[in-house]
């Protein structure tokens, strides 16, 4: 099968257009959302989801906390459901933001039910299928049908729901400047995909590599987790995510000439993060640096660091896709995986 016949490939390439629709949908609900956020008087926010949407929760919580100065955590839905006491403080006014592509993942539905019974606060849901269960559960429900997917591995659903979470944080924080920054992302993502697809494909097809490490810190840790999951799901390869400086504390012992280390480099801590990658090169690994300026893949977005994070995603997704094809696999249907996990 040619790459452009794969659904996953089409879904990856469609992201800029779907991002435009995502941002327009939030703008259309802006007044409702602002009054919901301001009337809630929340003391804390918990984002939740499973698999990809759990990783999204990690990244979204990190961004919201930085922009709002409001304590925020990302947790797997199963933890909220089975371990509510260690997940949130029932007496604190909490906003639960539940995220799910399908809107049908059992653990996420159960987490919302249990929060309703035990917690103090409201639920906001983000999902992609209008007729699903999750959007009937929240106090406010945002559904992004343009981000629906045929493939099992999430690509545009993840990036669009993640973009939605950043747009919500920008709205809540009253930062108009960030909203207009966000509107530039689709155009920049189109250019990036066009400019860097050949380089990324070349790396993905490189038979030297049998292990992949994705490094990211702050909100980029959740993105590193998601891109590592893409590599596993699509290409059935060994892949792990780490916070940048954590990689020195043991994991680097796995670096060999067959390791590709993908760095999701920030601007604010460029020096420390770049030094980790240099060290890994010196001990025999190969590196791919992705970031705003002067990297192998450079965004040149000129945007705020909190805003340009979605740009890391299409590049990493294309790498996983190319590696899957090079191994003769079908990235559209990963081994042993269902699009939705429904508990019996
Ligand atoms: C969550 C999820 C997916 C994963 C897998 C099983 O689904 O964990 O991220 O790829 O196919 O389900 P959802 O709740 O976001 O629909």
């Amino acid at each position: 099968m040619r790459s452009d016949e794969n659904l996953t490939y089409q879904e990856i390439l469609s992201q800029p257009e779907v991002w435009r629709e995502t941002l327009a949908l939030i703008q259309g609900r802006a007044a409702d959302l602002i009054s919901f956020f301001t009337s809630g008087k929340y003391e804390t926010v918990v984002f939740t989801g499973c698999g990809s949407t759990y990783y999204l929760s990690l990244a979204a919580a990190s961004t919201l906390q930085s922009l709002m100065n409001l304590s925020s955590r990302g947790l797997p839905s199963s933890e909220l459901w089975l371990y509510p006491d260690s997940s949130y403080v029932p007496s604190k006014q909490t906003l639960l933001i539940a995220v799910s592509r399908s809107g049908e993942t059992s653990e996420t539905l159960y987490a919302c039910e249990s929060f309703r019974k035990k917690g103090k606060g409201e639920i906001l849901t983000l999902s992609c299928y209008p007729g699903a269960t999750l959007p009937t559960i929240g106090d406010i429900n945002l559904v992004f049908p343009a981000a629906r997917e045929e493939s099992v591995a999430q690509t545009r659903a993840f990036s669009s729901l993640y973009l939605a979470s950043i747009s919500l944080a920008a709205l809540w924080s009253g930062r108009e400047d960030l909203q207009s920054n966000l509107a530039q992302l689709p155009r920049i993502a189109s250019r990036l995909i066009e400019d860097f697809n050949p380089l990324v494909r070349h790396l993905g097809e490189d038979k030297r590599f049998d292990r992949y490490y994705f490094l990211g810190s702050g909100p980029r840790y959740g993105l590193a987790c998601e891109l590592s999951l893409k590599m596993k799901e699509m290409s059935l390869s060994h892949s792990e995510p780490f916070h940048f400086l954590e990689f020195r504390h043991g994991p680097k012992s796995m670096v060999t000439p067959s390791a590709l280390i993908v760095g999701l480099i920030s601007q604010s801590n460029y020096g420390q993060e770049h030094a980790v990658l240099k060290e890994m090169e010196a001990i025999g690994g190969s590196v791919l640096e992705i970031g705003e300026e002067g990297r192998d893949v450079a965004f040149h977005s000129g945007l705020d660091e909190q805003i340009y994070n979605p740009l890391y995603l299409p590049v990493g997704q294309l790498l996983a896709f190319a590696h899957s094809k090079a191994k003769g696999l079908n990235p559209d249907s990963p081994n042993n995986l269902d699009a939705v996990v429904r508990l019996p």
Side-chain angles (χ1 to χ4, degrees), residues 10-219:
Q10 292 163 16
E11 287 163 1
I12 293 172
L13 298 195
S14 71
Q15 288 175 107
E17 200 38 54
V18 177
W19 291 3
R20 275 190 194 97
E21 296 195 34
T22 300
L23 293 172
L25 199 145
I26 299 230
Q27 278 311 308
R29 302 280 304 269
D32 279 2
L33 286 162
I34 291 171
S35 85
F36 176 77
F37 289 138
T38 43
S39 61
K41 312 224 171 346
Y42 300 108
E43 296 168 278
T44 178
V45 177
V46 177
F47 284 86
T48 198
C50 295
S52 291
T53 39
Y54 159 53
Y55 298 141
L56 189 159
S57 297
L58 294 177
S62 167
T63 300
L64 185 74
Q65 176 155 325
S66 316
L67 286 180
M68 289 294 300
N69 204 14
L70 175 66
S71 137
S72 307
R73 298 174 78 189
L75 288 171
S77 301
S78 52
E79 295 290 304
L80 254 88
W81 168 39
L82 300 174
Y83 299 91
D85 296 347
S86 59
S87 300
Y88 50 85
V89 179
S91 60
K92 274 202 170 175
Q93 191 68 23
T94 305
L95 172 62
L96 176 63
I97 303 188
V99 193
S100 168
R101 170 178 65 177
S102 63
E104 295 293 356
T105 297
S106 303
E107 289 129 282
T108 304
L109 301 179
Y110 296 164
C112 291
E113 259 172 40
S114 119
F115 179 79
R116 277 267 183 246
K117 283 198 199 119
K118 293 176 186 291
K120 184 172 160 207
E122 274 85 41
I123 302 176
L124 183 157
T125 72
L126 301 175
S127 60
C128 300
Y129 291 81
T133 310
L134 190 67
T136 65
I137 286 181
D139 298 281
I140 193 156
N141 301 289
L142 299 173
V143 183
F144 302 88
R148 284 175 293 191
E149 290 174 313
E150 299 283 327
S151 307
V152 173
Q154 298 199 17
T155 54
R156 75 177 177 202
F158 180 96
S159 66
S160 302
L161 294 170
Y162 173 51
L163 182 64
S165 75
I166 302 173
S167 179
L168 291 178
L171 259 187
W172 195 353
S173 65
R175 295 274 307 270
E176 281 298 317
D177 57 317
L178 296 184
Q179 287 298 351
S180 52
N181 270 209
L182 281 169
Q184 297 188 48
L185 288 178
R187 177 184 51 78
I188 300 167
S190 293
R191 173 176 52 73
L192 273 182
I193 291 172
E194 208 176 306
D195 289 355
F196 293 105
N197 200 358
L199 165 79
V200 169
R201 186 183 311 137
H202 183 70
L203 270 180
E205 288 171 354
D206 194 325
K207 294 269 171 19
R208 256 180 317 164
F209 303 129
D210 68 359
R211 60 194 69 188
Y212 294 82
Y213 300 101
F214 289 83
L215 309 188
S217 292

Side-chain angles (χ1 to χ4, degrees), residues 246-256 279-280 283:
E246 278 296 297
F247 199 62
R248 289 197 182 103
H249 295 272
K252 74 171 187 181
S253 52
M254 292 292 289
V255 172
T256 63
E279 196 176 320
M280 298 314 137
I283 59 174

Side-chain angles (χ1 to χ4, degrees), residues 214-231:
F214 289 83
L215 309 188
S217 292
R220 288 162 298 279
Y221 176 66
L223 306 186
C225 293
E226 167 62 6
L227 292 178
S228 177
L229 180 69
K230 291 306 85 145
M231 187 56 83

